[in-house]
């Protein structure tokens, strides 16, 4: 069980503005698990929320470091990966990683992968479109780990995220789900309450100042799982 104590969230080491690059306006550098991570970012409305690193992503990276987590030979998928920082770290920690987000973000994620992953690791990393609730059936249900950070802040996405998690999980899957809890005027809190009806959920780490929680979740036992009556958006 997680024992509350003041945890300080990791920060970027430095940032460089870059020019004449259609994808990125700056590069941010982070240090985690002994790796230097180089992440292209772009503050642009056109790209939505996924064009820079969010606090919960840093919370998850720092949690991996604190716990000495390794993903060696494990099958990992990330939902709503944004820049891809969490998945890139999971790949460097040995995982066979599928990085997913909406189609418009994929080429930037590919570029961030190429900044960080040596070519010998590249077959371990795939970048794919996965729109929650729409593309689920294109993916299997045999992942060892599912990673999520700061993806639950709109009410209408809660049933879609739940549906996607239920599709991708089996009874052995571990979901690490990090969230900044105050987003969406408590949508995030409501979302975690909904997920906890289908997943055994444990708060494993908390960053008080940023209000970031890291949860570890496992699917409830088959007898306890009832498929939700999901209300889909048209
Ligand atoms: C706030 S950003 C978080 C990005 C990253 N996980 C992080 O913590 O830095 C939310 C991400 O969810 C993605 N997203 C939003 N709606 C989505 C949907 N319906 N299907 C798939 N991804 C979605 C966005 O494109 C964006 O990358």
């Amino acid at each position: 069980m997680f024992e509350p104590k003041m945890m300080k969230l990791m920060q970027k080491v430095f940032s460089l503005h870059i020019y004449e690059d259609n994808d990125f306006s700056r590069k941010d550098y982070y240090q985690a698990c002994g790796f230097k991570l180089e992440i292209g970012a772009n503050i642009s409305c056109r790209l939505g929320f996924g064009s820079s690193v969010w606090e919960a992503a840093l919370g998850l990276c720092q949690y991996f470091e604190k716990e000495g987590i390794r993903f060696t030979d494990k099958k990992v998928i990330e939902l709503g990966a944004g820049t891809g920082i969490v998945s890139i770290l999971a790949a460097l920690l040995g995982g066979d990683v599928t990085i997913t987000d909406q189609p418009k973000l994929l080429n930037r994620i590919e570029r961030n992968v190429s900044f960080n992953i040596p070519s010998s690791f590249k077959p371990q990393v795939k970048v794919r479109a996965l729109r929650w609730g729409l593309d689920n059936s294109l993916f299997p249900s045999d992942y060892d780990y599912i990673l999520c950070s700061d993806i639950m802040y709109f009410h209408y996405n809660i049933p879609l995220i739940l549906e996607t998690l239920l599709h991708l999980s089996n009874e052995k899957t571990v979901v690490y789900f990090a969230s900044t809890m105050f987003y969406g005027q408590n949508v995030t809190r409501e979302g975690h309450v909904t997920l906890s009806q289908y997943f055994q959920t444990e708060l494993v780490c908390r960053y008080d100042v940023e209000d970031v929680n890291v949860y570890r979740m496992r699917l409830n036992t088959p007898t306890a799982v009832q498929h939700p009556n999901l209300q889909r958006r048209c």
Side-chain angles (χ1 to χ4, degrees), residues 130-189:
L130 195 176
R131 294 161 298 166
W132 309 323
L134 289 177
D135 298 324
N136 300 350
S137 61
L138 303 175
F139 293 81
S141 303
D142 62 349
Y143 292 99
D144 298 299
Y145 292 94
I146 303 174
L147 309 178
C148 308
S149 62
D150 271 341
I151 62 169
M152 204 156 52
Y153 41 87
F154 289 139
H155 206 272
Y156 59 76
N157 274 333
I158 296 173
L160 302 178
I161 291 169
L162 173 60
E163 186 183 338
T164 303
L165 286 175
L166 288 174
H167 172 81
L168 297 172
S169 306
N170 60 61
E171 65 283 359
K172 295 203 180 116
T173 308
V174 173
V175 184
Y176 285 120
F177 203 128
S179 291
T180 307
M181 298 309 290
F182 63 79
Y183 283 154
Q185 296 180 324
N186 282 330
V187 169
T188 305
R189 277 180 204 288

Side-chain angles (χ1 to χ4, degrees), residues 54-69:
W54 288 60
E55 261 98 359
L58 299 179
L60 210 42
C61 292
Q62 195 171 338
Y63 175 71
F64 297 161
E65 177 168 292
K66 181 170 85 70
E67 295 298 317
I69 289 176

Side-chain angles (χ1 to χ4, degrees), residues 30-37 61 65 70 89 92-93:
Y30 302 88
Q31 190 94 41
C33 305
F35 297 102
K36 190 175 93 178
L37 303 173
C61 292
E65 177 168 292
R70 295 286 175 274
L89 183 59
L92 292 168
L93 293 171

